[in-house]
Amino acid sequence: MNRIFLAIVLAAFLFAGWQQFTIVPEPDQPTPMAALSTAMVESAGGAVDLAIGLVGVMTLFLGLMKVAEAGGMLSILARLIRPLMIRLFPDVPADHPAMGAMILNLSANALGLGNAATPFGIRAMQELDRLNPQSGTATNAMALFLAVNTSSVTLLPTGVIALRAAAGSADPAAILPTTLLATIGSTSIAILVTKLYQRLSPQPTAIPVDNQGPEAQPPSAADATDLETAQHAYPLWVSILALVAMASLIPLAISFGEVISPWILPGLMTGFLVFGAFRKVAIYEVFVDGAKEGFQVALRIIPYLVAILVAVGMLRASGALDLIVGALSPFTGKVGLPAEALPMALMRPLSGSGAYGILASIINDPAIGPDSYTGMLVSTLQGSTETTFYVMAVYFGAVQVKRMRHAMAAALTADAAGVMFAIIACQLFLG
């Protein structure tokens, strides 16, 4: 991200400097460098205004998610996907702690609980390393787990909905069906290509009782309870029925999107609160605790937004962005990817904060807006893809895996599939 940030700023500065000496501005127009200076100040102020606008919506959503988490929704989802996970990971014993940690990681990701997902993901990698016949080399199970993670199994992209609401979207939750379709497609491709790639890169077959690699830290009391819960499962038919019900939401949203869409946000809030009350959660107190975290999150992202929005604002004011858009649009436009959305597609695997800043810049651009095709597309990309290189660095770094085998190829293929399915989803829903 350091190099990308510097490259954007340098490109804007050099392009504006070249124009300063080669182009004579109109009498009433500012010089290119003056326009660059103005854009820097305005973009920095706009980033803070945007973050402040996010406080309320982010607080609301994280409060609701805290209620759902306290009510045991994570455990319910873990039990639903366990029968499928056992079949996806035949190399991992069904009662091994790695299976429970992977299930909880994917369940937390599905609910948009990134803070809870990462510790479970690291724990899963540590436990998978105990089954590793060759320390320092990724196993098939590790590669598949990473590929599924980077394909971003997301059912509720709360952060993107909050950002769209702050940008003035008439229907912030309109990306729920597009995100669902995109994440189902990218995850399916991630599984298929990982199974294919692993045949081209076979691993040692001997499985030790306990690997002498990095020791997994003993889980906390809360984590131990969660891991024990994840070892239980609903019957397979219940899991299949839940998958069918989830997939059926896509054609329903396509056919009755305009009717269903206004009900989504009120329905989510009412549903989570009723669920929490039914599970005997002190919904008001728990909501307030989660809302405090939302307030802190909204404030913590201010430096990231300032950095990226200033850099993008400089690139736009210099005219370099218009030049790039004009050069790429004849090619990317043919496949449904507007050139304005291309920086988002390229940035998402590299940097989560960078992609978030670019998303904010695009949907707050008056010429684009959050509810246009481009605004919907970049919102769907943010909600249905993951920061691939960050995830791989953190998870593989936790167990000192240096030989990733086919994991990187599978993850990048999943990223490309995520972009493709996001385009298909937005074209289906927006025509």
Side-chain angles (χ1 to χ4, degrees):
M1 188 57 204
N2 294 322
R3 295 177 180 178
I4 294 172
F5 179 60
L6 179 60
I8 293 174
V9 173
L10 276 178
F13 177 79
L14 294 174
F15 195 78
W18 173 75
Q19 288 185 312
Q20 181 82 12
F21 292 107
T22 59
I23 298 176
V24 179
E26 298 292 333
D28 297 332
Q29 297 296 320
T31 64
M33 293 306 291
L36 199 64
S37 300
T38 302
M40 291 174 61
V41 176
E42 291 180 349
S43 298
V48 176
D49 292 341
L50 174 61
I52 292 175
L54 270 175
V55 169
V57 187
M58 190 72 78
T59 297
L60 169 65
F61 275 105
L62 288 188
L64 290 175
M65 293 309 302
K66 195 72 172 180
V67 172
E69 184 181 7
M73 189 173 288
L74 189 63
S75 299
I76 293 173
L77 191 55
R79 291 184 176 187
L80 276 175
I81 69 173
R82 178 174 169 78
L84 305 174
M85 291 287 287
I86 292 173
R87 289 160 176 81
L88 274 180
F89 294 89
D91 297 339
V92 181
D95 58 350
H96 196 277
M99 184 65 73
M102 286 192 296
I103 289 170
L104 289 172
N105 167 266
L106 296 179
S107 301
N109 271 326
L111 293 177
L113 302 173
N115 291 336
T118 300
F120 285 129
I122 293 174
R123 173 96 184 148
M125 292 296 287
Q126 291 172 331
E127 293 296 343
L128 286 172
D129 199 48
R130 289 181 173 274
L131 300 173
N132 191 348
Q134 187 173 346
S135 182
T137 298
T139 63
N140 289 340
M142 287 179 176
L144 180 56
F145 176 62
L146 264 294
V148 172
N149 252 272
T150 57
S151 70
S152 186
V153 185
T154 307
L155 303 181
L156 193 59
T158 51
V160 183
I161 293 174
L163 188 59
R164 287 173 53 80
S169 172
D171 189 3
I175 63 163
L176 283 177
T178 60
T179 299
L180 180 60
L181 176 56
T183 197
I184 289 175
S186 62
T187 303
S188 300
I189 294 296
I191 294 170
L192 291 174
V193 298
T194 305
K195 295 289 187 181
L196 174 63
Y197 292 164
Q198 75 184 31
R199 296 183 179 182
L200 306 176
S201 178
Q203 69 172 18
T205 55
I207 302 294
V209 175
D210 192 1
N211 184 29
Q212 64 270 22
E215 290 289 329
Q217 296 297 319
S220 64
D223 285 351
T225 302
D226 288 336
L227 288 170
E228 183 179 354
T229 302
Q231 300 299 335
H232 304 285
Y234 294 118
L236 178 60
W237 67 267
V238 175
S239 300
I240 295 175
L241 187 63
L243 277 178
V244 171
M246 184 175 65
S248 68
L249 295 176
I250 296 173
L252 282 175
I254 294 174
S255 302
F256 306 103
E258 293 185 1
V259 176
I260 296 174
S261 188
W263 291 74
I264 292 178
L265 288 183
L268 283 175
M269 182 167 184
T270 304
F272 281 171
L273 293 180
V274 169
F275 172 80
F278 179 77
R279 303 281 290 190
K280 297 183 171 26
V281 173
I283 55 176
Y284 179 75
E285 288 84 355
V286 172
F287 177 90
V288 170
D289 286 340
K292 292 177 183 177
E293 182 181 345
F295 181 81
Q296 294 168 356
V297 168
L299 294 183
R300 279 201 301 268
I301 66 174
I302 288 179
Y304 300 99
L305 285 178
V306 169
I308 294 299
L309 291 184
V310 167
V312 174
M314 291 175 66
L315 196 65
R316 180 179 289 112
S318 70
L321 186 61
D322 292 336
L323 185 66
I324 295 171
V325 167
L328 294 178
S329 57
F331 305 101
T332 59
K334 293 179 180 178
V335 295
L337 179 63
E340 295 88 349
L342 188 59
M344 176 71 186
L346 296 175
M347 179 66 73
R348 189 66 179 104
L350 298 173
S351 168
S353 59
Y356 198 80
I358 289 178
L359 169 64
S361 174
I362 292 173
I363 65 176
N364 281 278
D365 185 344
I368 299 174
D371 296 324
S372 65
Y373 172 82
T374 300
M376 286 285 291
L377 178 59
V378 294
S379 300
T380 302
L381 285 174
Q382 178 74 15
S384 62
T385 54
E386 187 52 271
T387 312
T388 299
F389 291 95
Y390 168 81
V391 170
M392 300 194 77
V394 170
Y395 287 4
F396 277 145
V399 291
Q400 299 176 17
V401 167
K402 297 179 180 178
R403 184 169 177 258
M404 294 182 287
R405 297 175 59 228
H406 57 285
M408 179 66 75
L412 293 178
T413 304
D415 286 338
V419 174
M420 179 187 70
F421 279 102
I423 292 170
I424 293 172
C426 290
Q427 288 180 340
L428 282 175
F429 285 91
L430 298 179

